[in-house]
Amino acid sequence: MNHADRMNEEQPGGKRGEMIVVCGAKGGIGKTALAVNLAVALTKKNIQISVMDGDFQFGDVALALDLHPTFSIKDIVADIDSMDRFALAGFLIHHNSGVKVLAAPERPEFADMIKANIIDRVCDLLLSQQDYLIVDTGAGLPENTLQFIEKADQIFVVTTLEMTAIKNTKLMLDTLDVLGYRNKTHLVINRATMESVIKAADVPDILGFDTSIYIPNEFHLVAQSLNIGIPFVSNQAKSDLAKAVFKMAEQLISRREISLFKPKQNSFIKQLFHRGGHL
């Protein structure tokens, strides 16, 4: 496909969607629940959104939305060179909220099939037709997660108040800092109201952040949501947990509007923000 064809894949007006990567230094900290609920919260603003399950070995996005995939990213591999956004649309699973999901492979051994060129092409095609692409990643910083992070406009690093989570999150944030991604990284403290010797208000300072996003601890509500495959922003919209995720969605939309309509004289600041330190 030549350059002109790729340019034609952009959204009307030449817009590109915004790519959001949800990651964390360890498993079991709520990344998937946050990613799918944030996606569904954004659809309530009449926004086109896709979720890509970037945990190619043990992804749970489809399960969290009670979807039963016919296709996964593995099925795209053979046709990647001729793939366009219309062909790709046939591999997406539609959730009743409006979210479109690209599922992880059904078995861990298929993860090795998803090479860097596949990730790159699929992300670009999804961004050409969606307002937002949310990528839910596996734990830590494997090679494919680093690739997602490099392409991202916004990175949400999720942690909890557990000592092991904070220790590993500090190492992860230091690594992202060294790689030059600090400007697009946001800290999310999940289960922020849980009982802990570490106070949620102290975590940003411990991790070297001025601010963070706080998600309250409603563990049973999240567990029930994941078990039945219904996002809590849909059936528990009045809960403090859902309200915190809706607030995240509002902030994302506001940030995107600011960046899209910022006057020309601020373009240098805009570049700094979007390039995430690649100077």
Side-chain angles (χ1 to χ4, degrees):
M1 185 175 291
N2 62 34
H3 179 69
D5 290 334
R6 288 183 187 274
M7 289 298 288
N8 288 335
E9 287 176 351
E10 289 188 345
Q11 297 180 40
K15 287 196 303 179
R16 169 191 178 274
E18 186 162 312
M19 182 164 164
I20 298 160
V21 170
V22 180
C23 58
K26 66 189 294 285
I29 56 174
K31 295 188 306 297
T32 299
L34 180 65
V36 299
N37 279 277
L38 180 60
V40 174
L42 284 165
T43 65
K44 295 182 184 297
K45 300 294 180 182
N46 200 25
I47 283 170
Q48 294 293 312
I49 186 157
S50 287
V51 177
M52 180 175 176
D53 197 331
D55 185 349
F56 298 140
Q57 285 194 314
F58 301 106
D60 285 326
V61 167
L63 187 67
L65 292 169
D66 193 27
L67 296 172
H68 307 280
T70 307
F71 298 108
S72 78
I73 191 170
K74 169 182 73 72
D75 301 298
I76 293 168
V77 173
D79 299 316
I80 194 64
D81 292 332
S82 59
M83 186 69 59
D84 61 21
R85 60 180 176 173
F86 304 107
L88 180 60
F91 292 92
L92 303 179
I93 315 145
H94 291 240
H95 186 255
N96 58 20
S97 65
V99 172
K100 301 178 185 72
V101 174
L102 183 57
E106 61 271 26
R107 294 191 58 82
E109 60 266 30
F110 295 140
D112 289 341
M113 297 172 62
I114 319 301
K115 307 296 186 188
N117 65 309
I118 309 290
I119 292 172
D120 201 48
R121 185 76 182 123
V122 168
C123 287
D124 287 345
L125 287 170
L126 288 171
L127 288 165
S128 75
Q129 58 188 317
Q130 305 289 312
D131 294 305
Y132 288 94
L133 167 61
I134 294 181
V135 181
D136 178 35
T137 66
L141 290 171
E143 193 172 335
N144 64 296
T145 295
L146 285 169
Q147 187 179 356
F148 287 128
I149 283 170
E150 184 178 1
K151 289 183 73 70
D153 297 288
Q154 310 286 338
I155 307 160
F156 289 110
V157 176
V158 182
T159 190
T160 65
L161 301 182
E162 298 165 72
M163 191 67 76
T164 53
I166 289 174
K167 186 268 287 184
N168 291 335
T169 301
K170 180 76 169 82
L171 294 172
M172 187 177 204
L173 290 169
D174 288 347
T175 304
L176 295 180
D177 211 359
V178 169
L179 293 172
Y181 302 136
R182 175 66 177 231
N183 286 357
K184 59 181 183 179
T185 300
H186 309 278
L187 179 63
V188 180
I189 303 171
N190 196 23
R191 304 173 195 152
T193 52
M194 68 182 281
E195 286 189 23
S196 172
V197 294
I198 302 165
K199 301 304 175 194
D202 296 332
V203 174
D205 190 46
I206 293 169
L207 297 179
F209 267 68
D210 294 330
T211 59
S212 66
I213 298 162
Y214 297 93
I215 307 294
N217 183 34
E218 295 193 38
F219 186 81
H220 294 299
L221 196 156
V222 175
Q224 180 192 46
S225 168
L226 292 172
N227 286 337
I228 63 176
I230 300 176
F232 54 74
V233 295
S234 297
N235 69 347
Q236 299 286 343
K238 298 289 177 63
S239 66
D240 289 342
L241 181 63
K243 287 175 183 175
V245 175
F246 282 124
K247 185 178 178 182
M248 275 185 75
E250 293 278 3
Q251 289 171 339
L252 274 172
I253 294 164
S254 299
R255 189 180 292 122
R256 182 159 168 79
E257 286 172 349
I258 289 166
S259 67
L260 284 174
F261 300 110
K262 193 174 286 182
K264 286 288 185 188
Q265 62 264 32
N266 287 345
S267 61
F268 178 65
I269 301 298
K270 181 179 174 182
Q271 285 175 14
L272 285 177
F273 187 77
H274 278 289
R275 289 166 67 183
H278 287 297
L279 301 178

